[in-house]
Amino acid sequence: MKKKKIPKIGNKLIVIKNADKDSGNWQENWRKPKDRQPAHIPHPFRLLSLGIPGRGKTNMIKNVFLQHQSNSKPFKKLYIVCCDLDSQEYVDLEPTETMVELPDPEEFDGEDKTMLIIDDYNHERSSVDEKRKLSTLMRYVSTHKNVSVAVGYQSFFCCSAICRKTANIFMIYKPTSKLELTTIANRVGIDKDKLKKLFKTICAGDYDNVTIDKTIGSPYPL
């Protein structure tokens, strides 16, 4: 068989942009502002906060939200998904809406900088439709529709797989299970012995957490 010539690629490269993602200037990064604080996580982010009750998960998520509110580009809308509509935990943030079911992805038009907080949502009993909505919210809606998503849950094992796979910020409180700690370390790409040492020495308090930022170019990876 005769050898066929490999066609050459031209010197000029054409970048086909994604109209949904590249049309606006709402995507943030660690470079602006220059004095950006660790809790001022660039929007849009997908934050997964894991820890048993009473450790301060809700308080930390609220402080991440407030860090944005004290800067030049605050969130314009805040949606809360929780187990009880009578819950008072987020009242002081004056949310746009509080609900017990996941919002329809179609409700987000991408116009306003938005944060969605999903707090101790029952992932195990979710219907197929709810799982589909969660997947769309964590994937397409967050990256294309100007929405940061923060998910607070008690166990890494019980939390939805889509949250574990798509999160770029992991806020971890010391779990009671050694197996869970090993699994978390493996998922976020940190040596298990190093993570255990952090909880034994630096983050030994009941309300301490280890936060791992997988965002490209983050000055605060750990």
Side-chain angles (χ1 to χ4, degrees):
M1 294 179 67
K2 292 182 179 180
K3 290 184 179 180
K4 292 183 178 181
K5 290 183 178 181
I6 300 173
K8 293 182 178 180
I9 299 175
N11 294 327
K12 189 177 180 180
L13 297 178
I14 300 174
V15 178
I16 301 174
K17 292 189 175 184
N18 184 321
D20 289 331
K21 292 181 71 175
D22 301 322
S23 59
N25 60 354
W26 49 265
Q27 293 210 356
E28 301 174 7
N29 57 66
W30 280 112
R31 297 187 301 275
K32 296 180 181 180
K34 292 182 178 179
D35 59 345
R36 198 177 193 105
Q37 299 300 305
H40 192 192
I41 303 167
H43 167 81
F45 56 80
R46 287 150 304 284
L47 185 154
L48 183 55
S49 182
L50 299 165
I52 60 177
R55 289 295 185 264
K57 298 191 303 295
T58 297
N59 189 54
M60 284 297 292
I61 291 175
K62 288 170 70 174
N63 274 280
V64 169
F65 173 81
L66 291 173
Q67 187 71 61
H68 279 262
Q69 301 314 89
S70 63
N71 281 274
S72 59
K73 293 183 179 180
F75 286 107
K76 297 297 179 67
K77 293 180 181 178
L78 171 64
Y79 294 95
I80 308 293
V81 178
C82 58
C83 299
D84 186 3
L85 287 177
D86 294 326
S87 173
Q88 300 296 307
E89 285 188 297
Y90 293 98
V91 172
D92 53 345
L93 298 185
E94 300 180 350
T96 306
E97 186 178 350
T98 301
M99 56 198 87
V100 293
E101 294 183 354
L102 293 174
D104 194 311
E106 298 295 328
E107 294 181 19
F108 300 95
D109 56 17
E111 292 296 323
D112 297 313
K113 181 177 176 178
T114 302
M115 184 166 180
L116 170 64
I117 298 175
I118 305 173
D119 197 357
D120 281 337
Y121 178 76
N122 195 335
H123 298 283
E124 294 177 305
R125 296 185 180 181
S126 297
S127 64
V128 174
D129 185 54
E130 286 289 287
K131 289 179 180 178
R132 187 181 297 112
K133 281 200 288 187
L134 181 62
S135 178
T136 305
L137 290 168
M138 295 297 292
R139 294 176 188 265
Y140 178 76
V141 172
S142 178
T143 58
H144 292 69
K145 294 297 181 180
N146 208 359
V147 180
S148 282
V149 186
V151 181
Y153 211 66
Q154 297 176 15
S155 170
F156 186 82
F157 293 129
C158 298
C159 184
S160 174
I162 191 63
C163 295
R164 302 196 299 265
K165 292 176 180 179
T166 57
N168 62 308
I169 308 291
F170 293 86
M171 193 175 288
I172 305 162
Y173 294 81
K174 187 178 181 179
T176 54
S177 167
K178 292 182 179 179
L179 177 60
E180 183 173 359
L181 190 63
T182 300
T183 305
I184 292 173
N186 181 63
R187 175 64 188 87
V188 300
I190 185 173
D191 182 75
K192 64 179 181 179
D193 293 326
K194 182 177 181 180
L195 189 57
K196 289 177 181 178
K197 186 176 181 180
L198 285 172
F199 280 121
K200 190 175 181 180
T201 55
I202 300 172
C203 298
D206 292 332
Y207 307 104
D208 294 339
N209 75 74
V210 174
T211 298
I212 297 166
D213 182 3
K214 305 298 289 184
T215 307
I216 296 174
S218 171
Y220 308 108
L222 179 62

